[in-house]
Amino acid sequence: MRRKVIAGNWKMNKLPNEAIEFIDSLAKLVKDTKNEVIICAPYTDLFYVLLQAQGTNIKVGAQNMHFEDSGAYTGEVSGEMLKAIGVEYVIIGHSERRQYFNETDETVNKKIKAAFKHGLKPIVCVGETLEQREQGLANDIIRTQTKLALDGLSKDEVKNTIIAYEPIWAIGTGKTATSEDANNSIKEIRNEIEKNYGKDVAAEVIIQYGGSVKSKNAKELFETSDIDGGLVGGASLDPEEFSKIVNYDK
Ligand code: PEP
């Protein structure tokens, strides 16, 4: 049975003092869950979050990384740097990075490979725009993004990749895909993985749903056959609300 993984993506929010307070509150609220809890914080909060999360069941992720290890890339942070401070996860290819920072399927693939090289676990985002969905292209888009993102990885690496299916029209908009639609899209992604890496890999890989997940809709989404938890943006900023999503099964 696959585990449920609930990851918060704070995006460009929270100063260090707010981050410390958040982890302190959340730790108490989620200490009894058997679900995996991850907080993906801005770079400037990571060290504080890591310290505060010590001895709790909260794991820590970054929101992006560069694919090179070091060099003349002003403003960038490498996987090696994240690993050195104790970060475990890294979001790669979030739609906001694809949209505003020229992230492509090629850079996503390079970053995933660099993440594994440094012992980080990638959370890879795929998802279609509203226009693509209305044109009936959603399944093609998510299958292609999945294929290109994972290209050249070993079976073991694919098993250790978390995929987040995030329809772009549902991110930060308050619109959620129905649990049935989200589950069907995630089955498409799983089928694509099965086609390229076999049934056993596809059966193991964690695939989350992301897009306006809240405490009100988490249970319905996460209890479907193929949705293995969520990547949560807005609702991850409040410890009470986020803890209710983590504890959806209580
Ligand atoms: C996200 O940023 O990955 C996300 C899903 O955001 P929200 O939950 O706010 O829609």
Side-chain angles (χ1 to χ4, degrees):
M1 250 262 295
R2 293 184 300 269
R3 67 197 192 281
K4 300 286 183 193
V5 181
I6 292 109
N9 172 16
W10 285 352
K11 310 194 183 190
M12 197 169 71
N13 291 294
K14 293 201 187 292
L15 299 174
N17 61 322
E18 297 167 325
I20 291 167
E21 270 174 40
F22 177 102
I23 299 296
D24 194 36
S25 307
L26 182 69
K28 293 174 194 130
L29 297 167
V30 300
K31 66 178 175 16
D32 296 323
T33 187
K34 59 178 181 5
N35 303 323
E36 192 167 330
V37 190
I38 308 169
I39 290 294
C40 297
Y43 292 136
T44 47
D45 289 336
L46 281 174
F47 198 67
Y48 301 95
V49 169
L50 281 159
L51 285 180
Q52 200 65 26
Q54 271 179 7
T56 75
N57 56 348
I58 301 170
K59 298 181 173 177
V60 181
Q63 299 171 13
N64 179 40
M65 57 172 268
H66 198 275
F67 49 80
E68 295 290 351
D69 298 349
S70 61
Y73 299 99
T74 302
E76 290 293 321
V77 168
S78 73
E80 191 175 25
M81 291 168 173
L82 295 175
K83 186 68 185 176
I85 63 165
V87 169
E88 192 173 339
Y89 286 93
V90 57
I91 298 175
I92 292 179
H94 191 280
S95 60
E96 286 152 16
R97 296 216 55 90
R98 292 182 192 249
Q99 221 176 326
Y100 309 136
F101 301 99
N102 301 324
E103 193 85 81
T104 63
D105 289 325
E106 194 189 343
T107 57
V108 166
N109 178 252
K110 284 185 177 175
K111 288 180 180 193
I112 297 169
K113 287 177 176 159
F116 279 119
K117 178 178 165 192
H118 295 296
L120 296 164
K121 297 174 202 157
I123 301 173
V124 181
C125 302
V126 299
E128 80 285 358
T129 62
L130 186 58
E131 206 184 355
Q132 289 164 337
R133 187 174 192 95
E134 284 172 350
Q135 288 170 353
L137 298 173
N139 288 345
D140 285 348
I141 296 288
I142 58 177
R143 287 187 88 121
T144 304
Q145 285 179 345
T146 303
K147 182 171 191 273
L148 296 177
L150 304 179
D151 187 46
L153 297 188
S154 69
K155 284 188 175 193
D156 258 1
E157 286 171 335
V158 176
K159 276 185 195 170
N160 285 304
T161 301
I162 294 179
I163 300 193
Y165 166 61
E166 299 209 309
I168 295 169
W169 49 270
I171 296 180
T173 58
K175 288 184 195 146
T176 323
T178 64
S179 53
E180 197 188 344
D181 276 354
N183 196 44
N184 284 338
S185 297
I186 286 177
K187 280 185 188 164
E188 285 289 330
I189 294 170
R190 215 176 282 290
N191 287 339
E192 182 64 30
I193 293 172
E194 182 174 332
K195 194 175 98 193
N196 301 316
Y197 300 93
K199 223 180 172 74
D200 59 323
V201 177
E204 265 190 57
V205 67
I206 300 288
I207 311 182
Q208 302 171 311
Y209 167 77
S212 299
V213 175
K214 311 246 177 308
S215 58
K216 281 199 184 83
N217 56 26
K219 189 174 168 72
E220 194 193 332
L221 287 160
F222 300 169
E223 282 186 346
T224 54
S225 63
D226 280 66
I227 303 181
D228 304 323
L231 182 57
V232 185
S236 74
L237 293 171
D238 174 59
E240 294 270 345
E241 171 67 4
F242 187 60
S243 73
K244 287 184 193 156
I245 299 172
V246 171
N247 294 323
Y248 77 94
D249 50 353
K250 289 255 181 315

